[in-house]
Amino acid sequence: MVKIVIKSNFWGDTMSENTLMILGLVLIVAVAVFFLMPKPNPEEDIVRFFSETMNKNYAVRFSDVTGDTPYEEAAAKVYFAELLAQNKYDIADRGKFFKTRWEEQALADLGLVKDLYFEKPEMARYSLAIEVLKDSFKITVADLLSVTTYTKTFGFPEKYRKLLSSVQGISPRVVEVKQDYEQRDLVINAIVNYPFTEKVSVSANGKTYGVYTVTSEAFRFKIQNVKPGEVYDVNITPLDRRNKSGQVFSRRLIVELPPEPVISMSTSISGGKITYTWTHPNLSYPELKFIVDTLLGRYTTTAPALTEELRYGRLYNVKITAVGKYGQSETKSFVVKTPPDKPSVRADVYFDTIKLYITNTNDYDVKYLISIDGKTYETNKNYFEYKVSMPGILYKVEVQAVDGSNYSQTVSLNVQTKTPMYAPKVKAEIVSGTLVVNVDKITAIDLKEYSIIINGKEVSRSNQYVENAQPDMVYDIRVKWINKDNDQSPETRVVLETFPLQPDVVYSQSGKDLIIDVKDPSKNVKAESFEVIVDGKTYKTTGRLVLENFANGKTYTVFVHAIRGSYKTPAKIIQIPTISNIIPAPTLKTYTVLENIVTLEWDAQLPFDFLNFRIVRKMGNEEKIYQSAVNKFTDTGMPNGKAITYTITTVNKAGIQSQPLTLQIKSFPEKPKVSYKYDNGKVTFTFENQNEYEVEYKVERSGQEIYKGKDNTFTDTVKADGSMYFYKVYALSGTIQSKPVELMVTAYAPLTVPKVNVSRSGESIIITVVRPDSKDYKESYLEINGVTYKTEVFSLKNEPDKVYNVKAYWVNTSGDKSPSTELTIETSPKPPIVEYKLENNRVTLKISDPSSVLKAEKFVILYGASRFETTKNEISIDIDTSKMLHEFKVYSMYKENSSPQTSVIVVVK
């Protein structure tokens, strides 16, 4: 037997042959276990994931399937569609499932989607997104109702790998090719089985046009500037994403472009013919000819020109279409406008006026040239009038239609005129009392004479007549003229009225008013109104005129005219005396009120028999009467605060008084009665009116107005610091103010509790009352154990075993006392009484408190550097017996206060 020795740093020693055999057996068992163990099934995990995230009662739609290649995407769609269908899930939205119709067709050709059924998109509750990774699926389920998303990754099931192998056999393919044109470019439209075809390589007639990426099933490219009849052998090679090519698609394409349209057209006219000439860009096009539609019909010609009969005055379209071997062009339309045709003209004559009625015989608007009586006129209207210079002769009229520089043939007419028998123009008027009739002269050559008839009687055979006009007369005037054949013209009638008679005037007086009644005696020509002039003023009336306030004793010269139109009769002049019995009331000019004086001044319209003014003053129940020759009155000695009524009237010599001027006057105001109250910075005033009329109140503080109003109370806010304020209070009547009430008010500061300071200094206790910050402070008081002292500082003797009860307050200048500050001041206990006893090295101190009020709370013993405290009356302290003298200092404590010390000397023998 061969011994195998294996050296290993790992094992750290040498493995024997038997150990190696054992390891080999373990390895064999492990391999067997690996291959015999059940392998994981990703499909079951996917189905379980679906059951956990989706309810089979609702449909599922594919939202997105992505992979590196369309083959992975298509295989994933088929796999998951079949898996969902096998597990009783409904699939929705067929349009979202298939990327293109060619993907659907390719999968159907492989028999992979023939049994799939799809619900409508709106039936889906769940959305399924699948991302194909390198070795796994990333699946996302979205619940569209609850907006919940679940994502998980699974390995590839074996069934998917088989499907992918089958789908990868789909080759890129060109499905169809069609040709089209854009202007002169050949457009090739190709249909490919996208997404399996992602690129195409294009060549034609041995020339490569490039490799193009397609993003949909439709693909197009152009071969530019081709010519009709050219042949192109086109080859299209489809490529997938791996650049694997499919079957080459070959097709021969012949360029069958139709001829181009006509570019332009012109016209020419000669000998009653019109010729159309046009231009075409390619007269060498195969089998080229032209179809021409004109006003007279349709023609076909191979030449680029056509001649036909001319029709004048026409506006029409000529349409030309180029026709050739591969079709026909777009039809071009050209507007043709021929020269104008002659118009249709009719003439009418009205005495000296020729009227032309013109009818346009053209398809378009024209102007007209009219020649008559050696003159030429241009118009664009269909009616024309011409007044001849000499009626009764024959006139030749010529008319032409004009369009720009083109003229029609001339239409000629002979028109016979005659003298019209028209009514003459007549002017009849009254000038300075004279009737004047003027007839405009008739210029007809056959005039014989005129006839003027007034009120049925012929008064003249010339064209003028004059006579003196009579008042209250109506003239009926008729005028005509007669020619040499004794033909009479129509009459012109004028009715002319003259003017009214002078008016009759009657006057009367009613109270203060003067009444003038005017009457018209005319029968035929009535006055329209009357003008009355009184005292230099002019009034209009139709009968009665009432002049208010004219009855003032004055005699008036009155002028009265009757008015008709613009005519005014001579004035009728009368004298009218009046009696004064109504006197206007005086009017106030101004008044002045001073203390004890009232001055009045007024304006008054005085009657002719003025006597004086009467002034009545009423004050309360007292009434007094004054008289004045002037319009001013001063009343003296008037008491203040009174409501006075003055009545002023104007009196004439007959004792008749005018309406009164009544004045309500307030005498100089009396100052008010004023009281006030002060409360913590508020000064409240109360006013009492001392006048018979209502007043306002004004308050000034230190010369500054602080209140003005009708309220009988007012509160002023001041600084409550003891300051003094000077007030003046007035009563106001309008702009007049009374003498003032003067007041001095002290604004007392609040009576605050005083602050008290207590200090101890040796044998004294100092009590200090802090003075308040107030201007009305007067003095401070201290009450100590019932005894009162007027002082701000007080010193007490700091005697032991004493208690002081202290009250402190201050007084203002008004004698008001502030609240008190109360405090208790305690001194210290009395010095303690100490006895001692020495035993060996211990001293026992016996302490007693002689105080009666402030009893000691504890005792303090000082012995050298040591300090002892006790609340008892006895304490023992060890001493150094090597020393002879020992001093103990003892004092009592009450609260924070300590008594004077008691010194005890102990002698050790």
Side-chain angles (χ1 to χ4, degrees):
M1 177 180 287
V2 179
K3 184 177 182 179
I4 302 172
V5 179
I6 300 175
K7 290 286 187 175
S8 172
N9 291 331
F10 177 77
W11 294 103
D13 56 2
T14 303
M15 289 192 296
S16 67
E17 180 181 356
N18 292 333
T19 302
L20 187 61
M21 289 178 66
I22 291 170
L23 289 174
L25 288 173
V26 171
L27 180 61
I28 292 169
V29 171
V31 172
V33 170
F34 174 76
F35 282 102
L36 292 175
M37 284 180 63
K39 296 181 180 179
N41 188 347
E43 184 169 298
E44 293 178 356
D45 295 338
I46 295 171
V47 171
R48 190 178 301 108
F49 175 63
F50 285 167
S51 67
E52 292 171 352
T53 58
M54 296 189 293
N55 189 332
K56 293 182 181 181
N57 293 327
Y58 300 98
V60 185
R61 66 176 174 83
F62 285 75
S63 64
D64 197 14
V65 179
T66 59
D68 287 342
T69 68
Y71 303 103
E72 292 178 350
E73 296 172 359
K77 288 181 188 177
V78 173
Y79 170 74
F80 281 99
E82 290 181 354
L83 183 62
L84 289 169
Q86 289 168 5
N87 287 276
K88 308 303 181 182
Y89 289 93
D90 291 333
I91 306 173
D93 198 353
R94 182 186 193 92
K96 188 74 174 177
F97 184 79
F98 293 109
K99 198 167 188 177
T100 67
R101 58 176 173 161
W102 303 111
E103 181 187 59
E104 181 180 2
Q105 182 63 48
L107 296 175
D109 291 345
L110 293 174
L112 299 178
V113 293
K114 62 182 179 179
D115 295 327
L116 285 182
Y117 171 75
F118 293 87
E119 297 283 354
K120 295 180 179 179
E122 58 268 21
M123 300 298 292
R125 174 174 175 171
Y126 301 101
S127 172
L128 183 61
I130 301 165
E131 184 179 356
V132 183
L133 305 175
K134 184 177 181 181
D135 295 311
S136 59
F137 294 123
K138 182 180 179 182
I139 303 174
T140 300
V141 175
D143 188 333
L144 303 177
L145 188 60
S146 65
V147 198
T148 306
T149 302
Y150 310 91
T151 301
K152 199 168 183 181
T153 303
F154 302 91
F156 287 152
E158 186 62 30
K159 186 175 181 180
Y160 166 74
R161 297 180 186 276
K162 292 179 181 180
L163 279 171
L164 178 60
S165 177
S166 176
V167 171
Q168 284 176 335
I170 300 173
S171 298
R173 180 165 64 94
V174 177
V175 179
E176 182 60 272
V177 172
K178 294 183 179 181
Q179 70 186 75
D180 200 355
Y181 304 96
E182 286 185 2
Q183 297 180 355
R184 314 316 292 174
D185 297 340
L186 173 62
V187 179
I188 300 173
N189 296 304
I191 304 297
V192 299
N193 65 337
Y194 180 81
F196 304 108
T197 298
E198 295 194 2
K199 297 178 183 178
V200 291
S201 174
V202 182
S203 64
N205 294 349
K207 178 182 177 181
T208 299
Y209 285 87
V211 178
Y212 302 90
T213 299
V214 297
T215 57
S216 66
E217 64 178 34
F219 166 73
R220 71 199 303 262
F221 68 96
K222 295 180 182 179
I223 299 176
Q224 296 179 334
N225 298 321
V226 298
K227 295 181 180 180
E230 288 182 340
V231 177
Y232 289 89
D233 291 320
V234 179
N235 297 308
I236 304 176
T237 304
L239 302 167
D240 64 10
R241 188 175 299 180
R242 302 163 298 182
N243 284 329
K244 178 183 176 181
S245 63
Q247 183 179 354
V248 177
F249 187 97
S250 300
R251 177 162 293 180
R252 171 167 287 186
L253 303 177
I254 301 173
V255 178
E256 296 179 349
L257 280 172
E260 296 175 84
V262 169
I263 297 173
S264 62
M265 188 196 79
S266 61
T267 60
S268 59
I269 297 172
S270 178
K273 301 284 187 179
I274 183 169
T275 299
Y276 312 105
T277 303
W278 56 88
T279 57
H280 187 270
N282 188 8
L283 292 176
S284 62
Y285 187 92
E287 302 176 14
L288 180 64
K289 59 184 177 181
F290 302 97
I291 298 174
V292 185
D293 291 298
T294 72
L295 181 66
L296 301 182
R298 170 171 286 190
Y299 305 90
T300 301
T301 177
T302 57
L306 175 70
T307 300
E308 67 176 359
E309 292 292 327
L310 174 63
R311 293 290 186 268
Y312 288 100
R314 303 283 76 84
L315 182 66
Y316 56 93
N317 290 322
V318 172
K319 299 178 180 179
I320 305 174
T321 306
V323 180
K325 182 177 182 179
Y326 300 116
Q328 66 182 36
S329 72
E330 171 193 355
T331 299
K332 287 290 187 176
S333 182
F334 302 95
V335 177
V336 176
K337 186 179 185 183
T338 62
D341 198 1
K342 63 184 179 181
S344 172
V345 183
R346 178 174 64 85
D348 283 343
V349 177
Y350 183 76
F351 296 106
D352 59 348
T353 302
I354 298 175
K355 299 180 178 181
L356 299 179
Y357 301 91
I358 308 170
T359 302
N360 185 12
T361 58
N362 299 280
D363 291 342
Y364 48 85
D365 293 334
V366 295
K367 293 182 179 179
Y368 303 104
L369 284 184
I370 302 170
S371 298
I372 185 169
D373 201 14
K375 300 175 183 177
T376 300
Y377 303 91
E378 183 179 292
T379 181
N380 56 4
K381 296 181 180 179
N382 294 332
Y383 174 77
F384 181 77
E385 279 190 4
Y386 180 73
K387 188 173 183 180
V388 298
S389 57
M390 185 176 292
I393 62 174
L394 185 67
Y395 288 88
K396 182 178 182 180
V397 179
E398 293 182 341
V399 182
Q400 282 182 295
V402 180
D403 177 42
S405 60
N406 295 320
Y407 294 80
S408 72
Q409 294 178 344
T410 301
V411 177
S412 297
L413 301 173
N414 291 320
V415 181
Q416 179 67 50
T417 63
K418 61 180 179 178
T419 303
M421 296 297 291
Y422 52 86
K425 292 183 179 180
V426 179
K427 182 178 181 182
E429 57 184 341
I430 305 296
V431 180
S432 300
T434 302
L435 170 64
V436 178
V437 180
N438 284 304
V439 183
D440 284 358
K441 287 187 176 181
I442 304 300
T443 58
I445 13 183
D446 53 351
L447 171 67
K448 178 181 179 182
E449 60 188 359
Y450 301 88
S451 175
I452 299 175
I453 301 169
I454 298 179
N455 292 340
K457 179 181 178 182
E458 186 177 63
V459 294
S460 175
R461 287 186 174 268
S462 69
N463 66 331
Q464 190 176 54
Y465 177 72
V466 176
E467 74 172 36
N468 290 328
Q470 299 298 318
D472 196 24
M473 176 68 75
V474 177
Y475 294 104
D476 183 2
I477 304 169
R478 299 171 184 269
V479 179
K480 59 187 175 181
W481 65 275
I482 304 162
N483 65 13
K484 294 179 180 177
D485 294 330
N486 290 322
D487 295 326
Q488 297 184 2
S489 73
E491 284 185 345
T492 297
R493 183 184 180 190
V494 178
V495 176
L496 182 65
E497 297 175 339
T498 58
F499 38 85
L501 298 169
Q502 267 193 339
D504 295 332
V505 180
V506 177
Y507 62 88
S508 60
Q509 183 175 318
S510 174
K512 63 179 179 178
D513 300 334
L514 172 62
I515 301 173
I516 300 175
D517 289 304
V518 185
K519 296 182 179 180
D520 183 10
S522 303
K523 295 180 179 180
N524 298 313
V525 184
K526 288 289 188 178
E528 295 171 348
S529 63
F530 303 99
E531 181 181 273
V532 181
I533 301 173
V534 182
D535 204 19
K537 294 183 180 179
T538 301
Y539 302 89
K540 296 290 186 181
T541 183
T542 56
R544 169 164 285 198
L545 176 65
V546 178
L547 300 175
E548 297 180 355
N549 301 319
F550 269 65
N552 55 8
K554 184 178 180 181
T555 298
Y556 298 96
T557 300
V558 179
F559 302 84
V560 183
H561 301 269
I563 305 294
R564 183 176 176 86
S566 60
Y567 184 80
K568 181 191 299 185
T569 65
K572 187 164 191 176
I573 304 171
I574 58 174
Q575 297 291 323
I576 300 178
T578 62
I579 300 172
S580 170
N581 59 1
I582 302 297
I583 305 171
T587 58
L588 178 65
K589 185 175 182 181
T590 183
Y591 72 91
T592 305
V593 176
L594 301 174
E595 189 171 11
N596 305 125
I597 299 174
V598 175
T599 301
L600 307 177
E601 191 171 354
W602 59 91
D603 290 325
Q605 183 178 340
L606 302 180
F608 292 102
D609 50 356
F610 169 73
L611 178 62
N612 57 29
F613 296 104
R614 184 173 185 264
I615 302 102
V616 179
R617 182 189 74 190
K618 185 174 183 181
M619 189 167 55
N621 294 324
E622 178 188 353
E623 186 174 283
K624 193 169 183 180
I625 300 173
Y626 302 91
Q627 292 180 348
S628 174
V630 297
N631 58 346
K632 186 173 182 180
F633 173 71
T634 299
D635 201 356
T636 59
M638 297 297 300
N640 292 340
K642 296 296 182 180
I644 309 167
T645 301
Y646 289 97
T647 303
I648 305 172
T649 56
T650 304
V651 184
N652 66 7
K653 294 177 181 179
I656 299 173
Q657 296 185 42
S658 70
Q659 292 295 316
L661 166 62
T662 302
L663 302 174
Q664 303 294 334
I665 304 295
K666 301 169 185 176
S667 68
F668 193 83
E670 184 64 40
K671 62 185 179 182
K673 184 177 180 181
V674 182
S675 62
Y676 75 90
K677 290 183 179 180
Y678 172 78
D679 183 18
N680 194 24
K682 303 287 186 181
V683 184
T684 300
F685 295 92
T686 301
F687 315 120
E688 186 176 339
N689 187 10
Q690 302 299 304
N691 300 278
E692 293 180 354
Y693 47 82
E694 187 181 51
V695 296
E696 286 187 305
Y697 302 100
K698 183 174 81 170
V699 181
E700 292 179 352
R701 182 191 344 113
S702 300
Q704 182 70 34
E705 181 181 315
I706 59 173
Y707 171 73
K708 183 178 181 182
K710 293 183 178 181
D711 292 341
N712 61 355
T713 61
F714 166 68
T715 299
D716 186 25
T717 301
V718 296
K719 188 174 182 181
D721 60 355
S723 297
M724 297 184 67
Y725 295 91
F726 181 63
Y727 290 92
K728 289 184 179 181
V729 182
Y730 302 87
L732 300 180
S733 173
T735 59
I736 304 171
Q737 66 182 25
S738 69
K739 291 184 176 180
V741 177
E742 297 180 348
L743 302 168
M744 184 67 72
V745 178
T746 301
Y748 294 109
L751 293 168
T752 56
V753 177
K755 181 180 179 183
V756 178
N757 295 327
V758 178
S759 63
R760 301 171 190 264
S761 177
E763 296 181 354
S764 299
I765 298 174
I766 308 302
I767 303 174
T768 303
V769 181
V770 179
R771 177 180 292 195
D773 184 16
S774 173
K775 294 181 180 179
D776 60 342
Y777 169 79
K778 182 178 180 183
E779 55 200 6
S780 297
Y781 289 86
L782 282 168
E783 183 181 312
I784 302 171
N785 292 341
V787 180
T788 301
Y789 303 94
K790 183 172 69 172
T791 181
E792 293 181 10
V793 180
F794 192 82
S795 178
L796 294 173
K797 188 174 182 181
N798 193 6
E799 295 180 2
D801 198 25
K802 289 288 185 180
V803 176
Y804 299 101
N805 293 313
V806 180
K807 288 184 180 180
Y809 58 90
W810 64 277
V811 177
N812 65 13
T813 55
S814 183
D816 298 324
K817 184 171 72 174
S818 75
S820 300
T821 297
E822 297 185 6
L823 66 155
T824 299
I825 300 174
E826 297 173 329
T827 61
S828 62
K830 291 181 178 181
I833 300 172
V834 182
E835 297 178 354
Y836 75 89
K837 181 172 69 174
L838 175 64
E839 292 181 357
N840 298 323
N841 63 338
R842 174 169 291 187
V843 175
T844 299
L845 301 177
K846 187 176 182 181
I847 310 169
S848 61
D849 182 10
S851 302
S852 59
V853 179
L854 301 177
K855 300 298 283 183
E857 296 174 342
K858 63 182 177 180
F859 302 103
V860 179
I861 301 96
L862 302 177
Y863 170 56
S866 299
R867 185 178 188 275
F868 303 92
E869 290 185 3
T870 181
T871 58
K872 298 179 180 180
N873 295 97
E874 187 173 295
I875 185 171
S876 296
I877 301 171
D878 291 334
I879 62 174
D880 183 2
T881 56
S882 63
K883 295 180 181 181
M884 186 175 63
L885 294 177
H886 298 272
E887 183 179 14
F888 293 90
K889 295 179 180 180
V890 183
Y891 59 89
S892 301
M893 290 294 296
Y894 174 76
K895 295 182 181 179
E896 299 297 327
N897 301 325
S898 58
S899 70
Q901 295 178 353
T902 300
S903 181
V904 177
I905 304 296
V906 177
V907 179
V908 178
K909 297 181 181 179

